[in-house]
RNA sequence: GGCCCCGUCGUCUAGUCAGGUCCAGGACACCGGCCUUUCACGCCGGUAACACGGGUUCAAAUCCCGUCGGGGUCACCA
């Protein structure tokens, strides 16, 4: 049996973290088994579904690297893949179910049903549909139909119980009487979700349904419906939900839950998928870093946790830094360049001309950021004119320490004739200089760093010197010297 | 409330099915230290958990029962 799985989002908003993880697990499962990953858009809610939202979902999936084999924009033999375009495929099934007595009409209005539920509640009963439609005689139905009374079609839930052999949850048995005779065709002639899903999944030859645990109660309905329709039941796997720190289903109020927000925040997609994969799944007691191919090879539904997990942004940050560090510098440069450009630090033409320099700059900071947009915050002073560099308070202190300006001035002379061909040479010369002056290395480094960058932290000092170049380094020292000429008293 | 699911460090988890090798392992976070020109990286170390109560057993995080706690779901939404 060839594995066929699907991800079936509703384009009513962004793709959220939970949906992304569901998509990832489906994709991983398909790739591992050489199967097919189908993307189906469940846009039957015309009010809330928009083409823009569809595009957002596609963008998000592509960013995560989850290419689909069948679905929007790629087509496939089992389309259409937009539920809104599948209207006609459902009608014959409604008729069949009706003829076979597996479904029936109910003429009760929403108001009547509401009243029914209220009454049940007032009697201390659980609200439930009382099968009033089933009690109608053939004559009554004919008369109502002739009178053009609106009706819905309900599924007649059989007696007994339903056992779901869930690949993650294990065996779960539910009494069918817990399930109401749900509606499969609305009075406006539109079929409902629990009905169309069964037909779509069957039409698309879906073998495994992997989705969020919030669908579990639907699963019982769908299993029953699938059986009534005469289709083969897919294998189900329900992934526990992702919670926010308050242990409630992750939602907007927990901050960013949209996948594209994380792209905006500048996380590398590999970091994000690695993080997502491990939210609710683990391979063993040691491994945390997985490449895409490793994930495909090692993923398994059996090792998906049965308990919900809480989204921890701090851990995502760690993954972010980890992937930034292990990314080859040229590639990282390509990825980071747009943020430098967006920050106004460089333009595209200059970036091309100074490509080797940019790569060296990125390399100098590679250990120091986790998200792309953090880079321009760190590199700002490299792109400012000499006079625009601002000195933070602590940097000013470094410049005003006893003897600092004298040491700075002395180093300026050294630098004027220094060999700028490499960071190492600059450092070696500085060290030799300190030794000859019987000066501690740190006494030189700190004021120089302050003079060049206006800051007290950053990459290795000689990376800064080197990246700035001789002219600019001298100019910045001169400026610092003119601003803070007086050292502490002798 | 009914039904269903879940409950190991603050968080993600290994271990639970096949009880002993677990006074519970790893990772993130946090705290200390080392490295060092700062920050970061890296390295070393530390704090920290079997929800509770019974039972079975020579032995229970692991099996059984109960309690408590958390969540999901109960629409002419998907």
């Amino acid at each position: 049996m060839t594995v066929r799985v699907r991800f079936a989002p509703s384009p009513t908003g962004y793709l959220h973290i939970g949906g992304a993880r569901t998509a990832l697990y489906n994709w991983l499962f398909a790739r591992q088994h050489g199967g097919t990953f189908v993307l189906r858009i469940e846009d039957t809610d015309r009010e809330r579904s928009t083409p823009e939202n569809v595009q957002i979902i596609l963008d998000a999936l592509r960013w995560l690297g989850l290419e689909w084999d069948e679905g929007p924009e790629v087509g496939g033999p089992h389309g259409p893949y937009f539920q809104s375009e599948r209207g006609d495929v459902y009608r014959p099934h409604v008729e069949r179910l009706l003829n076979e007595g597996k479904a029936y009409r109910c003429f009760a209005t929403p108001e009547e049903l509401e009243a029914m539920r209220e009454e049940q509640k007032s009697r201390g009963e659980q609200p439930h549909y009382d099968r009033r439609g089933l009690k109608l005689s053939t004559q009554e139905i004919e008369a109502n139909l002739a009178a053009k009374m609106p009706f819905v079609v309900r599924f007649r839930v059989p007696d007994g119980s339903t056992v779901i052999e869930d690949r993650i949850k294990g065996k779960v048995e539910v009494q069918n009487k817990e399930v109401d005779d749900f509606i499969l065709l609305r009075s406006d002639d539109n079929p409902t979700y629990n009905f169309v899903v069964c037909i779509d999944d069957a039409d698309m030859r879906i073998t495994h349904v992997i989705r969020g645990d919030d669908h579990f109660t639907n699963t019982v309905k769908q299993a029953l419906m699938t059986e009534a329709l005469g289709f083969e039941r897919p294998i189900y796997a329900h992934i526990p939900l992702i919670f926010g720190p308050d242990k409630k289903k992750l939602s907007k109020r927990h901050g960013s839950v949209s996948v594209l927000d994380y792209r905006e925040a500048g996380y590398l997609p590999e970091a994000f998928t690695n993080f997502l994969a491990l939210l609710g799944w683990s391979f063993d007691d040691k491994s945390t870093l997985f490449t895409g191919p490793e994930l495909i090879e090692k993923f398994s539904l059996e090792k998906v946790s049965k308990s919900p997990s809480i989204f921890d942004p701090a851990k995502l940050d760690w993954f972010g830094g980890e992937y930034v560090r292990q990314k080859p510098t040229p590639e990282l440069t390509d990825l980071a360049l747009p943020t430098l450009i967006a920050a106004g630090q460089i333009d595209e033409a200059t970036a091309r001309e100074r490509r080797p320099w940019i790569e060296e700059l990125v390399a100098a900071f590679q250990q120091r950021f986790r998200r792309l947009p953090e880079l321009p915050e760190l590199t700002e002073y490299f792109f400012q004119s000499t006079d625009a560099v601002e000195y933070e308070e602590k940097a000013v202190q470094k410049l005003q320490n006893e003897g600092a300006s004298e040491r700075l001035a002395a180093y300026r002379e050294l630098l004027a004739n220094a060999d700028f061909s490499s960071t190492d040479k600059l450092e070696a010369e500085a060290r030799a200089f300190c030794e000859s002056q019987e000066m501690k290395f740190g006494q030189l480094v700190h004021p120089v760093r302050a003079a060049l960058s206006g800051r007290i932290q950053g990459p290795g000092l000689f990376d800064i010197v080197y990246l700035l170049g001789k002219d600019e380094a001298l100019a910045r020292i001169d400026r610092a010297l003119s601003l803070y000429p007086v050292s502490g008293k002798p």
Side-chain angles (χ1 to χ4, degrees):
Chain A
M1 175 182 66
T2 313
V3 165
R4 290 180 57 87
V5 296
R6 43 63 157 194
F7 177 58
S10 224
T12 54
Y14 43 79
L15 176 66
H16 59 88
I17 292 171
R21 189 189 55 168
T22 299
L24 173 65
Y25 285 6
N26 272 285
W27 182 84
L28 251 17
F29 189 76
R31 290 291 170 269
Q32 178 176 75
H33 292 92
T36 303
F37 177 52
V38 178
L39 177 60
R40 181 174 74 225
I41 304 297
E42 312 217 320
D43 56 350
T44 50
D45 185 344
R46 300 294 180 93
E47 310 251 312
R48 296 188 296 160
S49 302
T50 67
E52 292 74 35
N53 286 335
V54 172
Q55 208 51 52
I56 285 170
I57 289 170
L58 302 190
D59 276 1
L61 290 174
R62 288 197 171 112
W63 179 62
L64 294 170
L66 309 180
E67 299 292 335
W68 52 99
D69 307 305
E70 293 178 22
E73 298 182 3
V74 303
H78 304 282
Y81 296 94
F82 284 87
Q83 223 162 43
S84 57
E85 296 170 12
R86 298 177 59 79
D88 297 340
V89 301
Y90 310 117
R91 316 233 170 268
H93 294 105
V94 178
E95 293 306 318
R96 206 175 86 229
L97 254 21
L98 236 22
N99 291 337
E100 292 172 354
K102 291 172 177 169
Y104 58 93
R105 295 182 182 82
C106 174
F107 297 86
T109 63
E111 293 72 32
E112 280 177 63
L113 295 174
E114 188 49 37
M116 174 195 75
R117 290 191 199 98
E118 284 309 314
E119 197 192 315
Q120 289 165 340
K121 272 191 256 180
S122 70
R123 281 199 305 257
E125 289 175 21
Q126 292 298 325
H128 65 279
Y129 176 67
D130 62 3
R131 288 193 149 171
R132 55 183 61 183
L134 198 52
K135 291 160 191 152
L136 262 30
S137 66
T138 316
Q139 292 89 318
E140 284 173 303
I141 294 172
E142 293 299 331
N144 287 345
L145 250 23
K148 296 263 192 285
M149 275 180 72
F151 64 88
V152 299
V153 178
R154 285 184 181 265
F155 178 61
R156 181 175 181 172
V157 174
D159 295 338
S161 67
T162 301
V163 174
I164 307 290
E165 292 284 355
D166 192 280
R167 285 284 288 275
I168 293 168
K169 297 165 82 82
K171 178 179 167 182
V172 181
E173 180 171 8
V174 176
Q175 298 302 315
N176 291 356
K177 63 175 160 57
E178 301 295 338
V179 182
D180 268 6
D181 284 353
F182 58 93
I183 292 170
L184 71 249
L185 189 71
R186 298 185 184 93
S187 54
D188 65 1
D189 224 28
N190 273 126
T192 63
Y193 167 76
N194 280 123
F195 176 57
V196 300
V197 168
C198 297
I199 295 166
D200 290 348
D201 284 343
D203 279 358
M204 295 179 186
R205 309 282 188 273
I206 299 304
T207 57
H208 297 71
V209 172
I210 304 167
R211 59 185 8 171
D213 201 14
D214 50 345
H215 278 289
F216 190 79
T217 46
N218 286 329
T219 299
V220 178
K221 296 177 184 177
Q222 290 167 20
L224 252 16
M225 175 62 78
T226 300
E227 200 170 321
L229 254 8
F231 300 144
E232 196 179 333
R233 232 202 247 187
I235 291 166
Y236 293 105
H238 287 86
I239 312 166
L241 301 178
I242 299 174
F243 290 163
D246 59 355
K247 301 199 173 181
K248 295 269 198 297
K249 200 170 158 183
L250 197 61
S251 71
K252 239 178 194 165
R253 64 202 156 79
H254 296 109
S256 287
V257 289
S258 162
V259 169
L260 291 184
D261 283 349
Y262 290 87
R263 181 177 70 179
E264 289 312 304
Y267 291 97
L268 260 23
E270 306 93 302
F272 196 75
T273 41
N274 195 153
F275 167 74
L276 230 39
L278 248 25
L279 240 198
W281 171 82
S282 66
F283 175 66
D284 58 19
D285 60 337
K286 293 274 175 2
S287 319
T288 42
L289 262 13
F290 296 89
T291 63
E294 283 170 342
L295 240 25
I296 291 170
E297 183 198 331
K298 291 170 172 168
F299 179 77
S300 70
L301 291 173
E302 283 67 26
K303 299 217 74 175
V304 171
S305 168
K306 292 171 93 169
S307 54
S309 32
I310 292 168
F311 176 77
D312 179 13
K315 190 147 189 172
L316 173 59
D317 277 342
W318 177 78
F319 275 108
E322 201 62 30
Y323 278 86
V324 163
R325 267 171 256 132
Q326 65 175 241
K327 187 70 102 184
T329 305
E331 283 176 44
L332 185 60
T333 303
D334 290 335
L335 295 166
L337 219 37
T339 70
L340 294 176
I341 292 169
Q345 296 185 349
I346 197 166
D347 59 64
E348 284 181 50
T350 315
R352 267 193 300 277
E353 281 165 36
R354 307 187 63 193
R355 175 69 192 203
W357 181 82
I358 302 266
E359 280 189 22
E360 286 173 308
L361 179 76
V362 171
F365 285 96
Q366 193 159 0
Q367 311 276 283
R368 294 173 171 79
F369 67 101
R370 302 169 296 194
R371 301 182 293 108
L372 266 10
E374 287 174 350
L375 182 61
E377 293 170 21
L378 301 171
T379 57
E380 193 183 19
Y381 54 86
F382 283 98
F383 299 95
Q384 291 172 317
S385 66
T386 314
D387 292 338
V389 175
E390 287 176 35
Y391 294 89
E392 22 176 86
E393 201 181 314
K394 286 183 176 171
V396 172
Q397 279 171 23
K398 295 284 182 197
L399 289 169
Q400 291 180 322
N401 277 345
E402 184 178 329
S405 54
E406 284 81 354
R407 289 193 293 275
L408 198 52
Y411 184 63
R412 188 215 182 278
E413 295 316 310
L414 181 79
L415 216 48
N417 298 304
D419 179 352
F420 269 71
S421 64
S422 82
T423 298
D424 289 345
K425 282 183 181 153
L426 286 164
E427 175 164 356
E429 283 184 63
R431 284 192 187 274
F433 171 72
C434 285
E435 217 158 302
S436 71
Q437 302 292 302
E438 295 185 344
M439 181 194 302
K440 276 204 209 153
F441 195 51
Q443 289 183 303
L444 175 69
V445 163
H446 296 303
V448 175
R449 173 189 300 284
L452 297 180
S453 70
R455 306 187 186 188
I456 58 162
Q457 318 175 334
L461 176 64
F462 302 98
D463 285 333
I464 298 178
V465 175
Y466 171 82
L467 287 165
L468 243 22
K470 184 179 286 186
D471 291 348
E472 184 60 22
L474 293 178
R476 289 191 185 194
I477 291 175
D478 287 341
R479 174 166 176 252
L481 246 18
S482 70
L483 286 170
Y484 307 103
V486 184
S487 284
K489 297 160 198 82

